[in-house]
Amino acid sequence: MSGNHYKGHEVSCCIKYFIFGFNILFWLLGMALVGIGLWAWSEKGVLSNISSITDLGGLDPVWLFMVVGGVMFILGFAGCIGALRENTFLLKFFSVFLGIIFFLELTTGVLAFVFKDWIKDQLNLFINNNIRAYRDDIDLQNLIDFTQEYWECCGAFGADDWNLNIYFNCTDGNPSREKCGVPFSCCTKDPAEDVINTQCGYDIRAKSDSEQKDYINVKGCVPQFEKWLQDNLTLVAGIFIGVALLQIFGICLAQNLVSDIEAVRASCCLLTHL
């Protein structure tokens, strides 16, 4: 046997370090998002009173940072360390986790297409719940204002949805100065104004519907979102397809690396028995 040359399998360095490099960026970005989320909660005093996490009636946008950052951190860690240390368990975990995310995205897309009316109702309910909690959390308030400004809308299906908020409703017993008004993000923008008039929505819903159109965006955010999707369908579909292809590519690379590692180990075991 000493005169024979045995050519064994090798782990592809290109695949190994490509997975490592890509996932270390993913890992660092995940840590950054989680860090931003923790900092935001610290600023709001949530970390000193954990029970307050569930007190908010609407969505706390910090959860988006925590969940997305946490998933990215776990995926990045498994892919980065798995590739660097040639750990097949971590690489298989990376592939399965990425596959589950891909399956969930695909399922969500199909269900959203099949049950469009139900999705619309749930979106309406979600927006209205957040309207009720508008003044309860500064991050939620900023998110709603950004949404209404970007899509030039007001409320879920119209400005009257702001009756759900205790500060903006039109009831006789409401002592708020914002009574029968809307947030400034509902107002139509005047290009000549350099400074935002945060009081532009005061008492606006006390006016007639025809007068309101001169001051605020009267269309709801749900129909405006639907219109935006229709106008940007190609872009949205392209993004989803691009993300899906990246996920499939990542799974294939990880599985290829696992096969290389297992082949090298098998050849090493074979050599020890020769």
Side-chain angles (χ1 to χ4, degrees):
M1 295 297 293
S2 60
N4 295 333
H5 176 69
Y6 181 82
K7 184 178 179 180
H9 291 83
E10 293 182 353
V11 174
S12 172
C13 289
C14 291
I15 294 177
K16 175 179 176 178
Y17 288 109
F18 180 83
I19 294 175
F20 169 76
F22 181 79
N23 280 283
I24 198 168
L25 294 176
F26 217 57
W27 188 14
L28 292 173
L29 183 57
M31 281 196 293
L33 290 176
V34 171
I36 291 170
L38 291 173
W39 171 79
W41 270 348
S42 175
E43 288 294 302
K44 293 192 290 187
V46 172
L47 296 182
S48 59
N49 182 18
I50 299 298
S51 62
S52 63
I53 291 178
T54 58
D55 291 344
L56 183 63
L59 169 72
D60 186 349
V62 176
W63 276 112
L64 297 176
F65 285 88
M66 298 299 292
V67 172
V68 173
V71 170
M72 291 177 67
F73 178 85
I74 293 170
L75 267 178
F77 174 83
C80 175
I81 303 300
L84 184 64
R85 304 297 298 173
E86 297 182 6
N87 187 309
T88 55
F89 173 78
L90 286 177
L91 288 170
K92 287 177 180 178
F93 173 80
F94 173 81
S95 297
V96 172
F97 199 0
L98 204 55
I100 291 172
I101 293 173
F102 173 75
F103 176 75
L104 289 175
E105 290 171 349
L106 185 63
T107 304
T108 301
V110 171
L111 291 177
F113 179 77
V114 174
F115 300 104
K116 288 184 287 188
D117 292 336
W118 183 83
I119 293 294
K120 186 189 293 187
D121 291 339
Q122 293 303 307
L123 185 59
N124 178 36
L125 182 63
F126 174 77
I127 293 174
N128 286 336
N129 283 337
N130 285 294
I131 283 175
R132 291 187 181 93
Y134 177 75
R135 290 296 190 204
D136 297 344
D137 183 84
I138 187 62
D139 293 324
L140 175 61
Q141 183 175 313
N142 290 334
L143 179 62
I144 291 174
D145 286 335
F146 170 79
T147 302
Q148 293 191 144
E149 286 181 329
Y150 183 78
W151 279 315
E152 296 181 347
C153 58
C154 192
F157 281 97
D160 286 337
D161 288 332
W162 283 97
N163 268 328
L164 296 169
N165 187 279
I166 59 173
Y167 299 100
F168 294 100
N169 69 56
C170 292
T171 55
D172 294 333
N174 183 7
S176 172
R177 178 63 190 87
E178 296 175 310
K179 173 184 175 180
C180 241
V182 292
F184 72 92
S185 52
C186 285
C187 298
T188 54
K189 296 295 179 289
D190 184 353
E193 288 185 354
D194 295 328
V195 180
I196 296 174
N197 179 10
T198 57
Q199 299 180 358
C200 61
Y202 282 17
D203 305 315
I204 199 69
R205 287 188 297 113
K207 302 178 184 293
S208 65
D209 292 344
S210 59
E211 288 182 294
Q212 289 181 25
K213 293 179 181 179
D214 296 331
Y215 300 96
I216 63 171
N217 300 305
V218 294
K219 294 179 180 178
C221 291
V222 173
Q224 285 294 87
F225 175 65
E226 288 181 306
K227 181 179 180 297
W228 180 87
L229 276 180
Q230 292 172 356
D231 293 342
N232 297 274
L233 190 59
T234 303
L235 175 63
V236 174
I239 291 173
F240 272 100
I241 292 172
V243 170
L245 290 175
L246 279 175
Q247 290 172 329
I248 294 170
F249 182 62
I251 293 170
C252 291
L253 282 181
Q255 288 301 108
N256 193 299
L257 185 57
V258 168
S259 297
D260 284 352
I261 294 169
E262 290 178 343
V264 169
R265 289 176 180 173
S267 63
C268 289
C269 290
L270 181 62
L271 283 173
T272 58
H273 289 87
L274 292 179

